[in-house]
């Protein structure tokens, strides 16, 4: 006979997949008729705009645009020119545990862009990109807390507290920013917009009631050619503040927030040569984790009946540490000849990873740095990939959930026959220990035990290594209170070898 169990319901989100997609796109592009012939390609920079992420049964579908801006020196004595190449991207990976109800959190990045000049009117573009994908599925846990009618069947029950750091909400929200941006005084009138770079930081995210309030800044950097022929860069800081649903029971939850761009448009104002019309589309992806504590049925037995119990596995997570730390990335890039002036410096994040080193865990983040400078023989560009590291002491065996973030636009300055650059990088991390536990999920009442003839009413037994009073009582089909009374004890603390009188 199945015994009815009293239960506690816990609603949460389970991590069902964690994977990285990497893909290459290639295309031959013709220089537009309005642009002059290419003499030398200086730079190719890409923006990955993820416009669709859709969970399906057993897979996911992604699509978007990879926009590559090619900066080049035209033939003759012309000023710097730029052209944009738009490559559609799509991926449909098999993810067996993903369903339509899942929330997909994606971190896209461009790993590399190579532009080869085939002839003055044609280029070959090769770009590598990746997406880190994490899938969260809604889950309802039904945890047994007590067996009903326990006293009727002489059932002894032991309860414990189930404690786990669980994802209580996984949500995303799209939002836009549009404004007219004006160059500061002293900048020349803009003749040509050569390129745009975007980034976004989150300075605060907290739950108030059932809402997540987050704010920060989007950074829009424009590379311009002035009417006087000069090339300069300007950065605009665009503050944002947003509210999104956090779900019930999210108060005081820890927020893990990622932001991605779904579209970027920046055009010159037709009337004011010092102004731009900017339209940014972003998506916030939030996972909220909270310590959940629920009383559960840990063990049970009957002194009269045989019991058959069934258990179900459940994942238990424990927060070992979290923080946000900064590292400064510095390096010197060699140039051919003396650099006269720095025209533009930019950085983008690439692959990230982690490894164990003794008792410590090392977080790694690739940073791709590009510097455009004016040399003695004309404009030129430098490319370098550096790996920033952050050491977490004492976290060696525990994998971390972490993200890297460029806090401010990198700086660069001539340094002899080279360029020295520096940028501040933030590591936001969370060390989570996961283990599988088994909890009582069903109890069936068996036959009543038959009385054994000539069985002693009291036995003398020694406590074994690691045994508790509960273990002894269960093994001998007695109760802890009866053992304490028969042995003349006032404390349930036992030691190996201790002799106990146990009523049968």
């Amino acid at each position: 006979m199945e015994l009815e169990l009293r239960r506690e319901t816990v609603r949460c989100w389970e991590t069902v997949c964690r994977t990285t997609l990497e893909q290459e796109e290639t295309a031959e592009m013709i220089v537009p008729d309005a642009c002059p012939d290419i003499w030398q390609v200086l730079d190719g920079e890409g923006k990955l705009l993820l416009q669709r992420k859709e969970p399906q049964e057993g897979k996911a579908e992604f699509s978007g645009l990879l926009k590559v801006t090619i900066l080049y020196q035209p033939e003759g004595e012309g000023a710097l020119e730029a052209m944009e190449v738009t490559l559609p991207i799509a991926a449909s990976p098999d993810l067996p545990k993903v369903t339509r109800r899942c929330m997909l959190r994606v971190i896209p990045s461009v790993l590399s862009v190579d532009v080869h000049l085939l002839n003055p009117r044609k280029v070959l573009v090769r770009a590598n990109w990746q997406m880190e994908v994490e899938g969260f599925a809604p889950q309802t846990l039904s945890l047994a807390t007590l067996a009903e009618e326990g006293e009727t069947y002489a059932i002894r029950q032991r309860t414990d507290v189930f404690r786990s750091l669980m994802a209580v909400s996984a949500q995303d929200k799209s939002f836009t920013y549009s404004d007219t941006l004006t160059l500061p005084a002293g900048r020349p009138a803009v003749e040509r917009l050569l390129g745009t770079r975007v980034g976004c930081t989150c300075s605060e995210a907290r739950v108030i009631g059932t809402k997540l309030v987050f704010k920060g800044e989007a950074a829009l950097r424009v590379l311009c050619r002035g009417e006087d022929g000069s090339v300069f860069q300007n950065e605009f800081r665009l503050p944002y503040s947003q509210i999104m649903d956090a779900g019930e029971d999210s108060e005081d939850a820890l927020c893990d927030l990622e932001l991605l761009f779904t579209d970027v448009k920046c055009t010159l104002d037709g009337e004011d040569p010092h102004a731009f019309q900017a339209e940014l589309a972003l998506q916030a992806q939030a996972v909220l984790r909270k310590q959940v504590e629920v009383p559960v049925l840990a063990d049970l037995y009957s002194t009269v009946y045989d019991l058959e119990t069934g258990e179900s596995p459940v994942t238990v997570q424990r927060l070992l540490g979290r923080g946000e730390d900064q590292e400064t990335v510095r390096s010197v890039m060699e140039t051919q000849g003396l650099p006269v002036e720095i025209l533009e410096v930019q950085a983008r994040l690439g692959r990230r990873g982690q490894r164990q080193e003794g008792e410590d865990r090392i977080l790694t983040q690739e940073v791709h740095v590009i510097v455009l400078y004016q040399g003695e023989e004309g404009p030129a560009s430098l490319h370098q990939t550096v790996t920033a590291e952050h050491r977490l002491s004492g976290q060696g065996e525990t994998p971390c959930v972490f993200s890297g973030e460029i806090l401010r636009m990198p700086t660069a300055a001539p340094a002899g026959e080279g360029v020295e650059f520096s940028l501040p990088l933030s590591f936001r991390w969370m060390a989570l220990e996961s283990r599988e536990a088994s909890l009582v999920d069903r109890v069936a009442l068996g036959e009543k035990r038959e009385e054994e003839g000539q069985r002693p009413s009291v036995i003398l037994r020694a406590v074994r290594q690691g045994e508790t009073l509960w273990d002894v009582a269960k093994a001998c089909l007695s109760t802890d209170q009866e053992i304490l009374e028969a042995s003349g004890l006032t404390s349930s603390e036992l030691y190996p070898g201790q002799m106990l009188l146990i009523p049968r």
Side-chain angles (χ1 to χ4, degrees):
M1 180 181 73
E2 291 282 341
L3 294 183
E4 184 177 348
L5 300 179
R6 191 178 303 170
R7 295 181 178 273
E8 184 83 15
T9 298
V10 177
R11 291 180 174 83
C12 59
W13 292 74
E14 178 188 15
T15 303
V16 294
C17 75
R18 201 179 268 124
T19 188
T20 300
L21 310 176
E22 190 168 324
Q23 201 163 300
E24 181 181 87
E25 309 291 341
T26 59
E28 290 186 0
M29 302 302 297
I30 304 296
V31 177
D33 293 339
C35 296
D37 291 351
I38 300 176
W39 175 65
Q40 180 185 12
V41 174
L42 297 176
D43 181 31
E45 174 61 16
K47 293 189 290 288
L48 183 57
L49 305 175
L50 184 62
Q51 298 178 328
R52 176 173 170 262
K53 56 171 189 175
E54 189 171 315
Q56 303 288 345
E57 296 298 325
K59 65 176 185 177
E61 294 181 354
F62 304 101
S63 62
L65 299 174
L66 179 58
K67 292 188 175 184
V68 177
T69 301
I70 301 171
L71 191 66
Y72 68 93
Q73 181 75 43
E75 290 187 344
E77 300 296 327
L80 289 183
E81 281 287 349
M83 58 180 282
E84 186 174 81
V85 178
T86 300
L87 305 176
I89 62 127
S92 183
D94 290 331
L95 303 171
K97 294 185 178 181
V98 168
T99 68
R100 296 180 186 274
R101 299 178 62 206
C102 287
M103 179 269 197
L104 298 174
R105 186 169 67 163
V106 183
I107 304 175
S109 58
V110 178
L111 300 178
S112 65
V113 177
D114 294 316
V115 182
H116 296 280
L117 182 62
L118 301 178
N119 62 55
R121 302 300 298 175
K122 182 186 290 187
V123 294
L124 174 65
V125 179
R126 180 181 289 112
N128 286 292
W129 58 268
Q130 76 167 19
M131 289 193 297
E132 296 181 28
V133 181
E134 196 171 12
F136 296 87
Q139 182 184 38
T140 300
L141 298 179
S142 181
L143 305 179
T145 60
L146 193 70
E148 303 283 10
E149 301 184 90
E151 294 184 2
T152 303
Y153 301 107
I155 295 176
R156 308 293 297 175
Q157 306 186 57
R158 180 169 64 87
T159 60
D160 201 350
V161 178
F162 171 80
R163 295 183 177 89
S164 180
L165 185 71
M166 310 183 78
V168 294
S169 180
Q171 309 288 339
D172 53 26
K173 178 189 178 181
S174 298
F175 63 98
T176 58
Y177 182 101
S178 60
D179 200 358
T180 299
L181 309 175
T182 304
L183 291 172
R187 291 292 194 182
V190 178
E191 180 184 58
R192 181 90 157 86
L193 178 61
L194 298 175
T196 60
R197 326 292 184 205
V198 289
C200 199
T201 60
C202 178
S203 58
E204 182 181 356
R206 59 194 178 99
V207 178
I208 302 177
T210 61
K211 301 296 182 181
L212 171 63
V213 179
F214 61 98
K215 60 184 179 180
E217 286 185 330
L220 174 65
R221 297 183 289 275
V222 293
L223 182 65
C224 306
R225 188 182 72 206
E227 291 181 346
D228 58 359
S230 63
V231 176
F232 63 91
Q233 178 178 275
N234 197 82
E235 182 178 29
F236 299 96
R237 308 297 292 188
L238 314 175
Y240 68 84
S241 180
Q242 293 288 319
I243 298 176
M244 64 186 293
D245 289 332
E248 298 180 358
D249 302 323
S250 296
E251 190 77 40
D252 300 324
L254 304 177
C255 181
D256 184 8
L257 186 72
E258 293 285 352
L259 294 155
L260 61 85
F261 286 91
T262 58
D263 201 7
V264 175
K265 294 179 182 178
C266 184
T267 57
L268 281 170
D269 190 300
E271 299 179 357
D272 185 352
H274 292 85
F276 306 89
Q277 297 294 330
E279 296 181 24
L280 308 179
L282 301 95
Q283 186 177 79
Q285 308 169 104
V287 177
L288 303 178
R289 293 180 173 90
K290 187 176 181 180
Q291 181 78 3
V292 174
E293 297 187 0
V294 179
V296 293
L297 180 60
D299 196 8
L300 76 169
Y301 66 94
S302 172
T303 58
V304 178
Y305 292 86
D306 291 327
L307 294 182
E308 180 185 328
T309 61
E311 296 182 337
S312 293
V314 62
T315 301
V316 179
Q317 283 195 327
R318 186 162 65 101
L319 179 65
L320 299 183
R322 64 189 295 259
E324 183 175 356
D325 305 301
Q326 293 186 22
E327 298 286 350
T328 300
V329 181
R330 291 187 177 90
S331 185
V332 176
M333 308 166 73
E334 293 184 0
T335 60
Q336 294 182 351
L338 293 174
V340 177
E341 179 187 4
I342 304 299
L343 302 178
E344 182 192 32
V345 57
Q346 56 176 296
R348 66 169 184 266
L349 300 180
R351 295 182 181 90
R352 56 183 176 175
Q354 52 188 292
R355 69 179 188 274
Q356 182 177 346
E357 194 172 281
E359 297 296 321
D360 300 339
R361 179 145 292 262
I362 310 299
L363 309 181
T364 62
Q365 175 69 69
E366 282 186 352
V367 183
H368 305 286
V369 179
I370 302 171
V371 176
L372 180 67
Y373 68 97
Q374 182 70 36
E376 294 176 323
E377 298 182 358
S381 63
L382 296 171
H383 296 247
Q384 184 172 325
T385 298
V386 296
T387 300
E389 294 190 350
H390 181 66
R391 180 180 296 269
L392 298 178
S393 301
Q395 304 287 352
E397 297 182 356
T398 307
C400 289
V401 176
F402 83 97
S403 61
E405 185 177 278
I406 297 174
L407 296 177
R408 292 184 302 278
M409 183 175 68
T411 59
E417 291 192 358
V419 172
E420 182 178 6
F421 73 85
S422 172
L423 76 152
L425 189 65
S426 169
F427 285 86
R428 187 180 294 114
W429 59 274
M430 184 182 301
L432 298 175
E433 179 188 64
S434 296
R435 63 179 179 85
E436 292 292 321
S438 295
L439 300 179
V440 175
D441 190 56
R442 59 173 291 272
V443 179
L445 188 69
E447 298 293 328
K448 187 175 183 179
R449 298 191 189 92
E450 296 183 2
E451 294 290 338
E452 300 178 13
Q454 303 300 318
R455 189 176 75 161
S457 59
V458 177
I459 63 171
L460 185 65
R461 183 183 184 281
V463 177
R464 298 165 186 164
Q465 182 70 37
E467 277 189 325
T468 65
L469 185 58
W470 170 270
D471 298 328
V472 174
K474 181 179 180 181
C476 298
L477 300 178
S478 183
T479 70
D480 49 3
Q481 189 60 38
E482 289 175 342
I483 294 174
L484 289 175
E485 291 178 358
S487 302
L489 301 175
T490 58
S491 172
S492 60
E493 296 293 327
L494 304 181
Y495 57 86
Q498 183 177 2
M499 303 303 295
L500 299 177
L501 285 173
I502 303 173
R504 300 290 295 273

